[in-house]
Amino acid sequence: MKLGVRHAASSLAPPSRRRRGFLPAAVVLAFLLPGCGGAAAPVGDAPGPVPGGADGARPGVASVLPDGVPALDAPGRHLLVVCVQDEAQVAIVDMDSYEVVHRIHLQELGYSERAQPHHAVVEPDGSHFYVTLIGENRVLKFDRKYQVVGEAPMQAAGMLALEKGGARLFVSRSMSAVNPPQRIGIVQRSTMEIEELDIFFAQPHAMVVDPEGRYAYTASLGVNQAASVDLDTERVTLVELEGPNHVIVQFAISPDGRWMAGSGEMSGELVVLDLAADRANPPVALRVPVGHMAFDPTFSPDGRQVWVPVKHTDEVVVLETEGWQEVRRIAGRGIDAPHQVVFSRDGALAFVSNNNKNPHAMHGPVEDDGGDGAVVVVDTASGEIVEVVRLGRNVTGIGTRPRMP
Amino acid sequence: MSGPGVASLVRALGVALLPVLLATACAGAGAPGVAGPSGAGMDGAGFERDVYALSVLDEHGEPYTHPFLGGLVVPRPQFVDLDGDGDPDLFLQERSGELMYFENTGTAEAPRFEWRTDRFGDLPVGEWFVFHDLTGDGRYELMSELPYSYIRVFRNEGTPEAPRFEPALDSIRDVDGRPIFSDRQNIPQLVDLDCSGTLDLLLGRIDGMITHYREEARVDGFPRFRKVTDRFENIEIIGQIGSMHGANAMAFIDWTGNGAQDLLWGDFFEPSVLLIANRQPCPGYDLDTPPEPLRTPEGNLLTSGHNVPVPVDLDGDGRTDLVVGVLGGAFNPVLTASNNLHHYRRGEDGLFRKMTERFLDGIDVGSESIVEVGDLTGNGLPDLVVGNKIDPVENRTARLYLFAGEATGPDGALAFRLADTLSLAPAFHYAPAMGDLFGSGRADLLLGTWNDGVRVYRNTGHAHSAAGPAAEPAAQLAADPAADPAAAFPGFEEVPGLTLDLTRGSHAVPALGDLTGNGLLDVVVGRSSGQLTLFRNVGTREEPAFERVTDEMGDINVGRRSAPYLADVTGDGLLDLLVGREEGGALLFRNVGTREAPEFEAVPEFEAVPGFELPLFDLGRPVPVDLTGDGRLEVVSGANTGGVLLFRDGGAGWSAGQGVGTGTGNKP
C-alpha cells in the first residue's frame, strides 16, 4: 500500500556539531545572545510556591525582558511552550493573541540540528520549564527568561511529568535507541541531578503523576503493561493491561484523580483505568475505540471530557467522561497528525499540536514531507478551529503552566 | 568441549569446598571454611572468557554449540567474508558500542561459527554497524554510528587475515561536505541499485519511508552523496492497521531472481519481514510494489517484531537463506527474549523453513540471568542454577533453570544438562543463593526477587530415589514449563516468616557466608541502589533467624544493581566480597578484618589491578568455582543478555587449593 506523495521542499540548515562539554559554554553563549540579556536565574533556583496569585506574578521580578519578550511567568500572560522537533527549536506562543513571542534556537546554544526537542512541561509558577532532547539524550531546564540553566543527561529521554507539589521531575524513554534502559529518570528539579528507577519492562514511554503526588505511572511500548511508582517508597507495581497490543503512548489523569486514560497507538483504543479502585494497581475499567495512532490524551479542566489526538485519521476525538461516549471528532485546517492537546485555563480553548507529517514521524526528521506543523486553536464549545499557528517542521510536545492543584 | 575427568574434578572440588562444608556442618566452631596459603595473587593476566569450556546439553540432550556465549536479547547480525577465505564470517552486535565476531571455520557448504571476541578491534560502533566496500579496493570498510546519529567509517589498514580497522571518516558526507545523519535506532544500507558502479545510500526512517542518497563524487576514495528524495520509490511501509513504523532495518538482495535488488524490511511495529519486490532489472529499478510479508509453510513469518533481516547463502546451494535478528517490537519482546536469532532456509517453492530460533545456541534463559553453583542432585558434581528476570514462556513469573552436572564420555568429563526448571513463587527476577541454612547437610535456597525481597526455601530432600543426576532429560520442558521439578531436583518449600525485606529499592540479590564467625550463614543482599544490606544470622544451625544490621554495609556502593558473592579469593581464610553491577565488570572488596569482625576495604575494579580483568557483562554476578578441575578457579556469571559466561583464570592466581570459600556450604 502506498500513500500519495506529499511534496514540500525545505532543506536542512547547515549542520553544526554540538560542542563537547558544552553546557557552561552554551549557557555563556545564551547570555551573550542578542535579546537574551539579564541575569539568569541560578541553576539551583528551586520552584516554590506562587506568591503572586493565580497568574503567579512575582513581586520585584521583571515580567518583560529587555527585548520586549514576555517572561514565561509574566502576569496576565498565558504562554505556550512548543517543541518544533525537526527545526531544533522551541517556540513560545501567546495563548491569547496566538503570536509567536519568542523562539529558542537550540543550535545557537550548541546543540545539533538533530537535537529534536520532543516534550515540554512548565512549572506551575512559570519560573522554569523543561524540554527533552531525544536527539541529544538529555533534559534541559530553562528559566522564565528562556535561558538554559541546567540539564540532566539521560539516554533516550522521552516524556516528562512534574511531581505535583513536590520537587521531582519524572522522565520516560523515547524510541531513539535499540534497547534503552528499562528505567525512568527521576530528576531533582532544583539541581537537575538525576537518578534512575528500574521499571522492569521495555520501552517505558508514557509518563504522568497523579494530582495528589502519590503515584507516578508509566507504560511500555512493547508489552501490555503499565507500572505505578509509589512516590514515597519508590516501590514499583506492575499493572496488566488487558486487550490487544496497545502500545500505550501516553497517560492522562482526570483532575479529580479518579480516572487514568492511556492512548493505544496500535490498538486504537483509549484504555481507561480506575484509580479510585486501586491507585497502585488500577484495574482497566473500559476500553474505548478512538482510532489507530491515538496519541497524548488530555482531560478538560472540568474533567468532563477527554480529548484524544488520532494521527491515523487526522482527527481529535472528544469523549465525555460521563458514560465515556464519543461526542465529537474535530478535523480540518491544520489538524494533520495531531499529537498533544493543552487547554486554556478556563477550558474555553484547546491548543492542539500537529506534526503535519506522516504518522509516527515525530521521532525522526522528514525534510520534505508535509511542510510546517502547527498549533491549532479550537473553540471547545463549538469544536470550530479558531486559529492555525504554523511553527515549523514536526511540532510535537506542548506545555503551559498547569492549574494549581 | 572436553572437560576434566570426574576424579580430578572431585579432587579439586573436594579441596576447594570440603572445608566449607565442614565449616557449615560444624557451625559454632568458628571455622570460616577456608584455609590455605594467603596472598593469592591478583597481579596476573586476569580472566579470559571461554565460550566452549564445558559441554552443556539442552533439554533434548543436544549439545549447545556456544554454551557459554552469554545469551542474546537484541542481536543485529551481518555476514561478511572478512578474512577472504571464501566463506561468510559472522559479526553481531548485541550491546551498544561493541561488535562480536564469529569466525567461520567451516566451509561455504557447511559453516561452523566460532566465537572470537565480544569487542572486535575494540571499535566503538555505537548503535549499529554495516560492513561495505566503500572505496572499491576489494576490502571492507566498517560503517557505524558515531553518537549521536553520525555515520562513522573505519578503514581496514591491515590484511584480510589480520584486519586492523582505523578511523577514516567521522561522518559520511554529502556533496557539499555536510554530514549525513542516520537515526541511531535504524540500520542504513548501501547498494548499487542501477548497476552504475556508484553507490546508493538508503536510510530507513521511523515513519516507514526511506531517504535515498546517490553517490556523486569521491573524496580521498570515499563517496560523497547527494540526496535524491525522502520518499524513495514512494515506499511507505504500511502496517496491518495503519502507517505506524518505528525503528527499522533493511537489506537489499535479488530475492525474486530477476537480477534486480529487492528490499527486505523489518521494524518495530511489524511482526514479519516485508519484501518489496524490484520489478525492473538494471539499469533501471522499480520498487513501487506492495510490501508482502515473507511466508513459511505455516503462514507468515512472525516474531515479536523489529526484525533485522540478513540474507545469506549459508549452505552454498545457490539459494539465499535468511537469518533474522529479532530485536522485539510491539508484539511482546519477552516472548523472544531467549529465541531471537532465527535461521530460515528457502525451499524450491520459495517458502521459508525455520531451521532454528537459536542460530547461536547457548544457555539462554531470557534476560538478566543470575547463576549459582552447588550440588543439588547429590551426585558429587556441581549443578548450575540459573535464574531469569521473567520467563519467556510464562510471562507472569521468573523461573530457575537447573543444569545438572554429570560425567560424560570415556574420560568422565563434566558436562551440564538442562534437566529441569522451577518456578517457586509468582515473582520476577529470581536471584538464587544456596547454602545449608537448616542443618540438614543439604543446600537450601535463598531467592532474591524484583520487589518482594529475599525468600527462604528449605530443601525437602530428593524427591526421587536416585542419588545421581536426572535419569531423563526434561524434554517436555519447553512444551510444559510447569513440569514437576522434583523429577530431577529436590523439592523446596518456602519458610514463612523468614523473608528478608528490603527497606527500599528492588532487585534483591542475596549472597551467603559466615561473616560473623558464629558458624551460621549470614546474608548480604545487593539491590537496585548499588548498596548492600547485611542480615546477620542470629538463629541456630537448625533454625535460622535474620536480623538486619545495616543497609549501607561498609559504605559500599558499586553504582547500580549490586550483585554480591562471598568467597575467599585472596586465600587468607576470610570471605572476600565480589560484586557485579549494572555497568558490567565487577568490584572486589578484600576482607581485611577478622572472622568475627570483618571490615571491607574497597579494592579497585578488577581492571585497575595490573594485568587483571574480569569483563563481566552488565548485571553479572560473579561466582568463583573450579568447574574444569584444573585446580584453578573459573568465574561463572549471568548477564543482562540472559546467558551464562565462563571466565578462566589467566593468571590471577585464584587457585582452588586456596579455597573458593563460597560460604554456601553446599558443595560436595
Side-chain angles (χ1 to χ4, degrees):
Chain A
M1 297 173 63
K2 306 287 178 78
L3 295 180
V5 179
R6 284 184 280 181
H7 295 286
S10 61
S11 61
L12 286 173
S16 69
R17 294 287 299 275
R18 180 175 65 78
R19 290 179 290 276
R20 307 295 177 192
F22 69 98
L23 177 60
V27 174
V28 170
L29 180 60
F31 291 153
L32 297 176
L33 289 175
C36 293
V43 171
D45 187 9
V50 183
D55 279 336
R58 293 190 292 182
V61 178
S63 60
V64 178
L65 308 183
D67 58 356
V69 174
L72 191 64
D73 61 352
R77 302 297 292 265
H78 305 101
L79 302 176
L80 186 69
V81 177
V82 183
C83 297
V84 187
Q85 185 166 304
D86 290 2
E87 307 268 8
Q89 293 179 13
V90 177
I92 309 299
V93 175
D94 189 308
M95 298 173 72
D96 298 310
S97 68
Y98 316 137
E99 293 175 349
V100 179
V101 298
H102 187 59
R103 279 184 188 265
I104 301 168
H105 298 269
L106 293 169
Q107 286 181 263
E108 293 177 356
L109 299 176
Y111 300 96
S112 80
E113 65 177 294
R114 305 279 294 216
Q116 300 185 72
H118 183 67
H119 196 222
V121 292
V122 182
E123 292 282 2
D125 66 355
S127 61
H128 297 89
F129 63 100
Y130 309 86
V131 176
T132 49
L133 303 187
I134 61 177
E136 297 275 1
N137 292 278
R138 65 197 62 230
V139 182
L140 295 189
K141 177 181 182 179
F142 293 86
D143 70 5
R144 56 189 288 276
K145 293 179 285 190
Y146 316 112
Q147 308 296 299
V148 176
V149 293
E151 66 172 30
M154 180 175 163
Q155 184 184 358
M159 309 293 280
L160 300 168
L162 291 173
E163 179 185 19
K164 307 293 192 300
R168 291 175 287 189
L169 171 69
F170 293 84
V171 192
S172 70
R173 303 284 174 178
S174 75
M175 294 179 69
S176 60
V178 170
N179 190 26
Q182 296 174 1
R183 303 190 297 267
I184 60 171
I186 302 177
V187 176
Q188 294 297 326
R189 279 133 67 184
S190 61
T191 64
M192 292 302 282
E193 291 178 355
I194 184 169
E195 294 184 354
E196 297 192 2
L197 178 68
D198 291 277
I199 289 298
F200 189 80
F201 49 59
Q203 310 268 11
H205 183 73
M207 196 74 253
V208 69
V209 176
D210 75 358
E212 298 178 359
R214 291 177 53 195
Y215 285 93
Y217 300 90
T218 183
S220 172
L221 291 174
V223 297
N224 268 1
Q225 286 180 327
S228 69
V229 181
D230 184 312
L231 297 186
D232 287 334
T233 64
E234 295 186 357
R235 179 180 174 84
V236 177
T237 301
L238 292 182
V239 180
E240 300 295 333
L241 302 177
E242 62 187 46
N245 290 344
H246 289 298
V247 185
I248 297 292
V249 173
Q250 178 61 315
F251 282 129
I253 296 179
S254 59
D256 63 2
R258 167 75 193 276
W259 305 107
M260 180 164 71
S263 50
E265 179 177 10
M266 176 164 272
S267 67
E269 294 180 344
L270 189 72
V271 181
V272 182
L273 297 100
D274 186 352
L275 294 182
D278 186 343
R279 292 197 177 278
N281 191 5
V284 174
L286 73 162
R287 304 180 349 235
V288 185
V290 292
H292 296 306
M293 307 199 69
F295 260 62
D296 304 3
T298 307
F299 282 87
S300 59
D302 61 8
R304 293 181 176 175
Q305 294 183 335
V306 181
W307 288 44
V308 187
V310 178
K311 291 181 190 289
H312 188 55
T313 56
D314 294 331
E315 295 172 320
V316 179
V317 176
V318 181
L319 305 174
E320 291 279 3
T321 55
E322 181 72 32
W324 295 99
Q325 297 297 309
E326 179 180 319
V327 295
R328 179 176 287 155
R329 284 180 178 256
I330 300 168
R333 187 166 52 105
I335 297 184
D336 190 327
H339 186 99
Q340 188 185 348
V341 179
V342 162
F343 289 96
S344 60
R345 290 200 162 210
D346 60 5
L349 297 173
F351 295 78
V352 183
S353 65
N354 292 269
N355 307 144
N356 193 19
K357 61 193 298 187
N358 279 303
H360 210 278
M362 66 285 170
H363 291 297
V366 176
E367 291 83 355
D368 64 359
D369 181 50
D372 286 347
V375 168
V376 174
V377 186
V378 178
D379 182 311
T380 57
S382 66
E384 297 297 319
I385 294 173
V386 175
E387 185 67 68
V388 176
V389 185
R390 296 284 175 187
L391 290 166
R393 296 191 308 274
N394 200 11
V395 173
T396 55
I398 53 179
T400 190
R401 294 168 58 185
R403 290 156 60 96
M404 297 300 289
Chain B
M1 295 188 191
S2 63
V6 165
S8 62
L9 176 67
V10 170
R11 281 196 300 275
L13 285 170
V15 170
L17 302 170
L18 184 59
V20 179
L21 186 61
L22 290 174
T24 305
C26 303
V34 178
S38 61
M42 288 179 291
D43 300 330
F47 285 84
E48 298 169 352
R49 191 142 127 72
D50 190 339
V51 173
Y52 311 104
L54 296 166
S55 178
V56 182
L57 310 182
D58 67 14
E59 66 271 31
H60 305 293
E62 297 295 326
Y64 292 119
T65 52
H66 308 273
F68 296 100
L69 184 61
L72 300 170
V73 173
V74 286
R76 286 148 280 175
Q78 187 184 354
F79 293 89
V80 180
D81 181 13
L82 190 68
D83 53 12
D85 63 356
D87 53 37
D89 305 301
L90 171 59
F91 290 83
L92 184 144
Q93 184 171 16
E94 169 62 34
R95 291 172 299 282
S96 183
E98 299 177 7
L99 185 57
M100 303 173 80
Y101 169 47
F102 299 81
E103 182 182 0
N104 188 346
T105 58
T107 66
E109 293 76 28
R112 173 187 170 89
F113 296 100
E114 294 191 38
W115 175 90
R116 291 290 182 251
T117 180
D118 293 320
R119 298 180 179 85
F120 178 72
D122 284 326
L123 299 174
V125 294
E127 282 288 278
W128 57 266
F129 76 98
V130 172
F131 282 98
H132 199 95
D133 181 8
L134 281 171
T135 57
D137 64 356
R139 289 186 297 182
Y140 286 102
E141 279 76 39
L142 172 63
M143 299 193 304
S144 69
E145 188 219 11
L146 171 64
Y148 297 107
S149 298
Y150 296 93
I151 305 172
R152 172 157 51 188
V153 177
F154 297 92
R155 179 160 42 195
N156 186 359
E157 302 288 359
T159 64
E161 295 75 21
R164 179 172 52 83
F165 284 84
E166 300 288 347
L169 300 177
D170 60 359
S171 182
I172 293 283
R173 294 174 184 271
D174 67 14
V175 288
D176 298 318
R178 297 181 301 186
I180 296 172
F181 296 101
S182 178
D183 283 334
R184 63 195 313 249
Q185 67 271 37
N186 305 330
I187 304 176
Q189 285 295 311
L190 283 160
V191 64
D192 180 3
L193 277 169
D194 57 3
C195 307
S196 63
T198 59
L199 291 172
D200 300 278
L201 173 64
L202 287 306
L203 306 178
R205 294 204 315 262
I206 209 157
D207 55 3
M209 295 184 286
I210 297 171
T211 296
H212 178 203
Y213 287 84
R214 180 173 292 149
E215 177 188 338
E216 197 168 282
R218 292 250 163 189
V219 175
D220 295 332
F222 289 98
R224 290 283 178 93
F225 296 91
R226 183 182 298 279
K227 185 160 75 174
V228 179
T229 179
D230 281 315
R231 298 187 64 104
F232 171 67
E233 289 290 274
N234 291 326
I235 290 171
E236 181 178 0
I237 309 296
I238 307 295
Q240 298 167 322
I241 54 175
S243 177
M244 42 188 347
H245 286 270
N248 54 65
M250 56 184 158
F252 283 89
I253 187 76
D254 179 13
W255 202 259
T256 55
N258 64 349
Q261 296 287 316
D262 308 304
L263 172 63
L264 298 177
W265 173 278
D267 72 45
F268 188 89
F269 289 99
E270 176 55 59
S272 187
V273 172
L274 300 178
L275 169 65
I276 300 174
N278 185 348
R279 293 184 293 204
Q280 185 176 346
C282 287
Y285 56 87
D286 177 9
L287 289 100
D288 195 354
T289 57
E292 296 285 346
L294 296 185
R295 293 185 59 79
T296 72
E298 294 77 33
N300 291 347
L301 184 157
L302 290 177
T303 75
S304 66
H306 199 178
N307 298 309
V308 178
V310 180
V312 59
D313 181 4
L314 281 175
D315 52 12
D317 66 355
R319 284 198 296 270
T320 303
D321 307 306
L322 185 67
V323 173
V324 178
V326 182
L327 308 191
F331 305 91
N332 193 359
V334 174
L335 298 174
T336 53
S338 57
N339 296 2
N340 46 41
L341 192 58
H342 297 190
H343 172 210
Y344 297 87
R345 183 171 291 163
R346 194 177 190 194
E348 293 182 355
D349 57 4
L351 301 179
F352 294 92
R353 270 74 177 178
K354 186 187 296 181
M355 307 308 295
T356 179
E357 293 185 344
R358 292 182 175 218
F359 185 71
L360 297 175
D361 203 13
I363 299 175
D364 192 337
V365 300
S367 62
E368 298 191 15
S369 49
I370 297 178
V371 180
E372 172 64 298
V373 181
D375 179 17
L376 282 175
T377 56
N379 67 345
L381 297 173
D383 308 309
L384 292 179
V385 179
V386 187
N388 62 12
K389 171 184 174 180
I390 180 170
D391 187 59
V393 177
E394 171 50 67
N395 292 176
R396 303 291 176 134
T397 184
R399 187 172 293 275
L400 292 179
Y401 286 69
L402 309 177
F403 293 85
E406 56 187 51
T408 61
D411 60 349
L414 176 69
F416 292 103
R417 177 193 297 267
L418 176 54
D420 215 334
T421 72
L422 196 57
S423 187
L424 291 166
F428 297 113
H429 182 261
Y430 280 1
M434 295 189 295
D436 180 7
L437 290 169
F438 296 94
S440 65
R442 295 190 293 262
D444 305 301
L445 177 66
L446 291 185
L447 193 67
T449 67
W450 170 47
N451 60 2
D452 290 315
V454 179
R455 301 184 177 200
V456 180
Y457 291 84
R458 183 200 303 266
N459 185 334
T460 60
H462 292 285
H464 59 94
S465 57
E472 298 291 338
Q476 77 281 15
L477 289 178
D480 180 14
D484 179 8
F489 281 83
F492 292 95
E493 63 181 18
E494 186 170 7
V495 182
L498 271 186
T499 300
L500 309 178
D501 292 320
L502 297 179
T503 306
R504 196 176 185 85
S506 60
H507 296 89
V509 179
L512 278 165
D514 177 11
L515 291 174
T516 51
N518 64 355
L520 303 176
L521 295 176
D522 307 302
V523 185
V524 175
V525 182
R527 60 184 199 269
S528 53
S529 70
Q531 297 168 301
L532 299 171
T533 297
L534 173 62
F535 292 90
R536 181 173 183 174
N537 189 342
V538 295
T540 67
R541 281 188 59 211
E542 291 75 27
E543 291 188 34
F546 297 104
E547 177 181 275
R548 186 193 314 271
V549 177
T550 176
D551 282 328
E552 298 177 352
M553 184 177 127
D555 289 328
I556 290 171
N557 190 332
V558 298
R560 292 185 48 80
R561 302 284 295 274
S562 47
Y565 204 81
L566 289 163
D568 175 19
V569 296
T570 57
D572 61 0
L574 301 175
L575 293 177
D576 305 303
L577 184 61
L578 280 163
V579 190
R581 53 184 179 166
E582 181 177 273
E583 66 183 71
L587 298 178
L588 171 64
F589 297 88
R590 168 183 274 189
N591 187 341
V592 295
T594 67
R595 292 173 183 173
E596 294 75 23
E599 295 179 23
F600 293 90
E601 71 173 3
V603 173
E605 291 187 47
F606 282 93
E607 57 265 31
V609 177
F612 186 92
E613 288 186 5
L614 182 51
L616 301 185
F617 287 6
D618 298 351
L619 297 177
R621 194 269 293 272
V623 178
V625 61
D626 181 12
L627 291 177
T628 60
D630 63 357
R632 310 184 79 170
L633 294 177
E634 292 86 40
V635 173
V636 291
S637 171
N640 59 331
T641 43
V644 176
L645 297 95
L646 186 148
F647 297 88
R648 287 182 181 273
D649 184 349
W654 291 2
S655 73
Q658 290 166 333
V660 62
T662 64
T664 57
N666 60 314
K667 307 298 195 302

